[in-house]
Every structure is written in structure tokens, then in C-alpha cells.
Amino acid sequence: MVATNLSQTATQMIVNIDDRSIVNDIRRLLTRIKGVSSVRVRNNYYESREFYQDLDAAEQDIANGKGVRVSSKQELDALFA
């Protein structure tokens, strides 16, 4: 068994949780720990349930013929001009 001493304290902890009530419980508990000055909760759209629902809807639109086909970067840029 190997033991390691850390020379720095942790300054950031990232936890991916969908259930907001669990996030609030963790936040409330962390504020009770001595030395924790603040707890921030950020939403990461690209790892959220909403992102996957949007992605599924976009794939369904493409399957229904609502997609746009581009064959070059210039065609893609023209869509946003």
C-alpha cells in the first residue's frame, strides 16, 4: 500500500449529478466543513439531460428530412451569413 502526502489543499471539486436535490444536499454539507469558503454549482450544458434531448430532437429532424447538407466550409459559413 502506498501513502501519498498532498502538498496543496484541493481548490476545486467537480461532480456530475442530474438530481438537483442531491446537489443542494452536497452544497449544504460542504458549507459546514471548516475551511470551505464558498460552494458554487455550475450547469454544464454538454453533459446535461437537456443537451441529449436537444441532440435526439436534431437527429429526429434529420431523419425526417429537415436537415441541411453541406459539402464545404464555405457552404456552412453561408448558412450563418
Side-chain angles (χ1 to χ4, degrees), residues 14-19 23 42 44 47:
I14 299 172
V15 180
N16 294 321
I17 301 174
D18 277 339
D19 189 349
V23 172
R42 296 184 201 159
N44 183 350
E47 293 180 8

Side-chain angles (χ1 to χ4, degrees), residues 12-77:
Q12 182 178 11
M13 180 174 75
I14 299 172
V15 180
N16 294 321
I17 301 174
D18 277 339
D19 189 349
R20 189 69 179 173
S21 65
I22 294 174
V23 172
N24 290 336
D25 289 344
I26 291 172
R27 179 185 227 172
R28 189 170 38 257
L29 290 171
L30 286 175
T31 57
R32 293 181 174 185
I33 297 173
K34 182 178 181 181
V36 174
S37 60
S38 70
V39 177
R40 289 181 292 164
V41 177
R42 296 184 201 159
N43 293 329
N44 183 350
Y45 172 72
Y46 295 104
E47 293 180 8
S48 70
R49 181 176 293 142
E50 180 185 4
F51 170 74
Y52 289 103
Q53 290 171 342
D54 291 347
L55 189 60
D56 289 342
E59 289 175 345
Q60 187 63 42
D61 285 346
I62 291 169
N64 292 336
K66 295 181 183 178
V68 176
R69 185 179 302 260
V70 294
S71 58
S72 69
K73 181 184 181 307
Q74 291 79 17
E75 288 181 17
L76 179 63
D77 290 341

